[in-house]
Amino acid sequence: MTLHQLKIFECVVKHRNITRASVALHISQPSVSQQLKLLEEEFGTKFLIRLNQGVELTLEGEEFFNSIRPLLTEAENLEKRFKSSPKANDTAPLIVGGSRNVSVKTLPRLLMALKERHPSLNFILETDRSPAIEKRLLASEFEIALITNPSHRGDIVYEPYEEMQLVAFCLPTNPLARKKLTLKELVECPLVLRGGGRLEKVLMNLGYRLNVALRCEASLSVKEAVRMGMGVGILYESAVATRVAQGNLWLINVPELKQMGIQSFIIFDKRKPLAPMAQEFLQILHEKRDSQLDVNDRRVQIVSPRSLSVH
């Protein structure tokens, strides 16, 4: 039980609605629901009943609320008496963790969205492998991160963000640029891959023998090697989108590769609340994710069997 959870609980009781409480607290609705869930799990008691129009207290919830009200009043008095203004933490940079494949394009774009809301805010983006990011998160090196290879630890919250699609690419002058390849034909080409990546292991487990011309540490090196004509590159689509749009690289049509994407996850420590700026960044992640889901839904509707049927 934390003071942050008790304040969330108080606000939900006041508004009798989780959505309105999340607006009042400037916290995302999933975060409010998550903190309520943790509070109920800690006490092993159901405090709230979810209704179509909001929530209402159970008998145990009403008794719990009456018991914590003096604590919340005293906490408010202490804050008014001893809290300095402005806080030193208000000028501290927001530190965000990210696995390597989301730190090239995805996270910088998301951080820029937060920068537009808070022009004076500074950021630090810490990049590492997903397991290392999880460990550093639990060690409080940062509060929130985006990864692609989760370990599903019990003390971390994992929220799906987006599915990242793998693409094969080459120079526009390469004869393969306008061909459709099977996965078997692709792995027989000279490949430029990012070393230590998940893809190589997956392909080997499927029984393919890869013709690897070069393994690179960074995605940028993969693109440069392909640009120099060393072979066919394979990366996540977001990493090559700009160069493809500029016409410097060309995507190769490999239908089987599209089924080998990977899911990215928002992660944060479930044992403690997020600081206000991390909460706002989480809200931006939710907004971007939900807007992308809306776009995908519209695409599905456009190509649905009904829309393609002939009358």
Side-chain angles (χ1 to χ4, degrees):
M1 178 180 67
T2 66
L3 179 60
H4 179 67
Q5 289 172 338
L6 296 182
K7 287 182 176 180
I8 288 176
F9 182 74
E10 179 190 39
C11 191
V12 170
V13 172
K14 175 183 176 182
H15 291 278
R16 301 285 172 166
N17 185 283
I18 291 177
T19 301
R20 287 198 292 268
S22 70
V23 173
L25 291 164
H26 303 290
I27 302 174
S28 69
Q29 184 175 332
S31 294
V32 171
S33 298
Q34 177 67 22
Q35 294 303 319
L36 293 175
K37 179 183 177 182
L38 292 174
L39 193 62
E40 290 181 328
E41 287 179 350
E42 182 174 347
F43 287 92
T45 304
K46 199 74 174 174
F47 292 143
L48 296 167
I49 299 174
R50 274 67 171 177
L51 306 172
N52 290 334
Q53 302 301 320
V55 297
E56 69 176 35
L57 286 167
T58 62
L59 291 177
E60 293 84 358
E62 188 169 353
E63 184 178 354
F64 180 76
F65 180 60
N66 290 332
S67 298
I68 67 171
R69 289 179 71 179
L71 295 174
L72 292 168
T73 300
E74 184 61 26
E76 184 179 355
N77 292 335
L78 287 170
E79 286 185 356
K80 289 179 180 178
R81 182 177 177 184
F82 296 106
K83 194 174 184 179
S84 59
S85 180
K87 294 190 299 183
N89 287 340
D90 287 344
T91 58
L94 174 65
I95 306 175
V96 176
S99 57
R100 294 175 181 177
N101 37 24
V102 297
S103 294
V104 178
K105 292 286 185 180
T106 304
L107 277 172
R109 185 174 66 248
L110 291 164
L111 290 171
M112 180 53 69
L114 185 59
K115 183 75 171 178
E116 291 174 356
R117 301 185 186 183
H118 302 277
S120 62
L121 183 65
N122 293 319
F123 307 101
I124 297 175
L125 176 56
E126 296 283 352
T127 301
D128 213 326
R129 298 184 186 276
S130 294
I133 290 292
E134 291 174 323
K135 291 179 181 178
R136 295 175 65 185
L137 178 84
L138 294 175
S140 300
E141 292 188 30
F142 36 76
E143 294 186 78
I144 190 167
L146 194 64
I147 65 171
T148 53
N149 187 24
S151 303
H152 297 290
R153 293 169 173 258
D155 40 12
I156 293 179
V157 175
Y158 296 88
E159 294 186 0
Y161 181 64
E162 68 174 350
E163 186 170 345
M164 302 173 63
Q165 183 177 317
L166 284 164
V167 293
F169 57 96
C170 61
L171 287 172
T173 55
N174 191 314
L176 298 175
R178 289 160 181 80
K179 289 187 177 181
K180 180 178 180 180
L181 301 182
T182 65
L183 199 54
K184 183 178 183 299
E185 291 170 330
L186 174 66
V187 299
E188 291 173 351
C189 301
L191 297 177
V192 182
L193 305 175
R194 193 169 64 83
R198 162 183 170 271
L199 174 65
E200 192 169 350
K201 295 178 182 178
V202 171
L203 290 173
M204 292 178 66
N205 288 337
L206 291 173
Y208 291 108
R209 296 186 63 181
L210 280 64
N211 179 17
V212 181
L214 181 66
R215 292 181 179 87
C216 303
E217 179 67 19
S219 299
L220 179 60
S221 301
V222 174
K223 290 181 284 187
E224 287 302 313
V226 172
R227 191 182 65 82
M228 294 171 62
M230 295 190 68
V232 172
I234 302 178
L235 287 173
Y236 290 105
E237 186 176 23
S238 59
V240 298
T242 300
R243 295 206 178 186
V244 170
Q246 293 171 346
N248 298 324
L249 295 173
W250 194 280
L251 296 184
I252 302 172
N253 184 10
V254 187
E256 293 167 272
L257 198 60
K258 297 177 182 179
Q259 309 302 319
M260 302 177 68
I262 191 170
Q263 179 73 51
S264 59
F265 291 86
I266 307 163
I267 64 169
F268 51 91
D269 193 334
K270 69 164 55 173
R271 302 169 301 178
K272 57 185 179 181
L274 292 172
M277 199 54 65
Q279 291 173 0
E280 188 165 349
F281 185 58
L282 177 62
Q283 184 176 0
I284 287 176
L285 287 164
H286 289 158
E287 291 170 356
K288 296 294 183 181
R289 177 192 63 192
D290 294 344
S291 65
Q292 186 59 45
L293 288 174
D294 289 341
V295 170
N296 292 339
D297 287 344
R298 286 196 292 271
R299 287 174 179 169
V300 170
Q301 291 172 5
I302 290 172
V303 300
S304 65
R306 178 175 296 179
S307 66
L308 297 176
S309 61
V310 179
H311 298 283

